[in-house]
Amino acid sequence: MTQGDPAALPDDVLRLLGENGGVCAVLVDGDPAATADALDRLHALAGPACVAVSGTTDPAAGYVPLFAELLRREWAAADLVALAHANMTRALREAEFRSRATRVRAA
């Protein structure tokens, strides 16, 4: 998992993120169109299972306009659910599983 500006990440890095099942969380800012542009690029290069939103200071002014913009851009409902929580939940669950599976146990 990473939080960052997808615009700062090269295309090949985003493709590798997708190939490896990673998740990139994008900060929701005051400009829903700009955030949607970043999510569109990430969605196209890494895939729908690799996008997430990381947070906003004002959910009503951040999430609502963003999801309205993504609906206008014809994002699939399943991709919006994945963006909202499913992708991050999956990544955290997998990290927890790997942590438990590789933990050294007392004899």
Side-chain angles (χ1 to χ4, degrees):
M1 293 176 291
T2 184
Q3 177 182 346
D5 178 8
L9 298 173
D11 291 357
D12 59 330
V13 171
L14 292 177
R15 285 188 198 96
L16 286 171
L17 182 76
E19 290 171 14
N20 291 298
V23 174
C24 181
V26 176
L27 182 64
V28 179
D29 65 15
D31 183 357
T35 304
D37 289 343
L39 289 167
D40 280 341
R41 178 171 177 259
L42 183 58
H43 187 275
L45 293 171
C50 298
V51 296
V53 288
S54 65
T56 182
T57 56
D58 183 359
Y63 294 125
V64 174
L66 173 62
F67 278 76
E69 176 66 20
L70 294 172
L71 283 168
R72 190 187 67 72
R73 295 178 185 207
E74 300 182 356
W75 273 48
D79 289 352
L80 293 173
V81 170
L83 171 70
H85 68 89
N87 291 339
M88 191 61 72
T89 300
R90 172 192 49 83
L92 291 170
R93 188 175 49 244
E94 289 173 358
E96 176 67 16
F97 174 79
R98 286 188 188 108
S99 172
R100 290 177 186 267
T102 59
R103 185 180 311 158
V104 176
R105 297 184 188 345

